Amino acid sequence: MRSLSSDLRGLGVGPGDVVIVHSSLKSLGYVVGGVQAVIQALLDVLGPEGTLVVPTQTGDNSDPSGWRNPPVPADWWPVVREESPGYDPSRTPSQWMGIIPETVRTWPGAKRSAHPWLSFAALGKNADVIIADHQLDDALGDKSPLGAIYRLDGKVLLLGVGHDSNTSLHLGEWRQESPPRGPHGASIRQPDGTSRWVTWTDVLEDESDFERLGAAFEESSPVSIGHVGNATARLMPQRALVDFATTWIAKNR
């Protein structure tokens, strides 16, 4: 754990930082204490004034009409909508995010946002501010946790993953003048324990060009690149990243 903390400090993570982390535990190689040691190292470096943020998305809690991997027959759609257990920040596990975000989600003191599909979890001083008021129709926009990180002048840490996992780039999509929008749906858990299917309209996210976008950002902007354990790690200012992405998307899409 001490070596991980040293690596993180060397990369530029420091006390009081607000950091959103995208990660692959496997990329770190062998870590004594496993995922618990990784999270403790992050928290130790950030200190009591810092805040750790992770994506805790729930991809299966979405409208089945849009499922592609694999698709499901149309006659299943109403069954899925009716039978899906409602999203509950304290109960619903994240999906396809990796073991680090899922462990942060269940860490003592963690707070999680209310969005039933694109939630985030946070630990630390600014956790409540970051996860508050996560609206259905602004999932990755300025009123989302990404927008809160932007206002707090936070950082993005890519820990063994590429820019295709860099969720903050989506904020650049949401900031476009007329981004493509479409219908969404998910199940939410109500106070009495029953589930209810809700629908809304929001921006249609697209990360297909995020690797190209991230490479362009690295050519012109300050990105700290090093190793944390065996993983290649990238640390960058989120505000500069989002501003660059907003302009780049407008010119290149």
Side-chain angles (χ1 to χ4, degrees):
M1 191 170 75
R2 287 194 298 269
S3 65
L4 290 179
S5 297
S6 177
D7 289 347
L8 289 165
R9 292 188 182 97
L11 194 66
V13 181
D17 284 347
V18 174
V19 179
I20 179 168
V21 178
H22 303 281
S23 57
S24 163
L25 179 64
K26 182 179 178 180
S27 71
L28 295 170
Y30 176 70
V31 175
V32 177
V35 65
Q36 180 180 345
V38 174
I39 295 168
Q40 192 61 62
L42 284 161
L43 294 175
D44 287 350
V45 172
L46 293 172
E49 297 297 304
T51 310
L52 173 63
V53 188
V54 293
T56 53
Q57 300 171 9
T58 49
D60 280 352
N61 191 23
S62 59
D63 198 293
S65 64
W67 292 358
R68 297 292 180 265
N69 295 307
V72 294
D75 58 349
W76 288 19
W77 298 351
V79 178
V80 172
R81 292 168 184 145
E82 183 177 351
E83 297 296 331
S84 292
Y87 170 79
D88 184 322
S90 63
R91 290 179 170 85
T92 307
S94 59
Q95 296 168 324
W96 312 318
M97 297 289 100
I99 187 62
I100 291 176
E102 178 61 8
T103 305
V104 170
R105 181 188 73 81
T106 61
W107 200 270
K111 306 294 179 65
R112 191 183 189 188
S113 67
H115 201 282
W117 178 36
L118 296 174
S119 66
F120 294 80
L123 272 168
K125 180 180 178 180
N126 289 296
D128 286 320
V129 172
I130 289 169
I131 64 96
D133 195 28
H134 194 176
Q135 299 177 13
L136 286 175
D137 61 355
D138 195 36
L140 301 174
D142 279 294
K143 295 180 181 178
S144 76
L146 294 179
I149 295 168
Y150 183 94
R151 290 186 291 276
L152 291 166
D153 200 15
K155 299 176 180 179
V156 175
L157 173 60
L158 302 180
L159 200 55
V161 299
H163 286 285
D164 56 339
S165 299
N166 195 344
T167 306
S168 291
L169 295 175
H170 286 296
L171 182 51
E173 291 185 306
W174 260 248
R175 288 184 169 185
Q176 297 305 301
E177 185 174 347
S178 298
R181 301 176 70 86
H184 298 273
S187 182
I188 60 171
R189 189 174 191 270
Q190 302 188 104
D192 64 1
T194 61
S195 297
R196 178 170 64 92
W197 189 261
V198 295
T199 59
W200 67 95
T201 299
D202 200 0
V203 175
L204 297 171
E205 76 285 351
D206 177 11
E207 58 274 354
S208 62
D209 57 2
F210 278 9
E211 285 287 7
R212 191 158 58 96
L213 169 49
F217 175 72
E218 290 189 21
E219 288 178 0
S220 62
S221 305
V223 176
S224 176
I225 302 175
H227 282 86
V228 175
N230 290 340
T232 299
R234 287 172 163 81
L235 183 72
M236 63 208 77
Q238 196 235 31
R239 188 175 291 175
L241 175 72
V242 170
D243 291 347
F244 182 91
T246 303
T247 300
W248 190 95
I249 291 170
K251 290 181 178 179
N252 291 279
R253 288 191 181 176

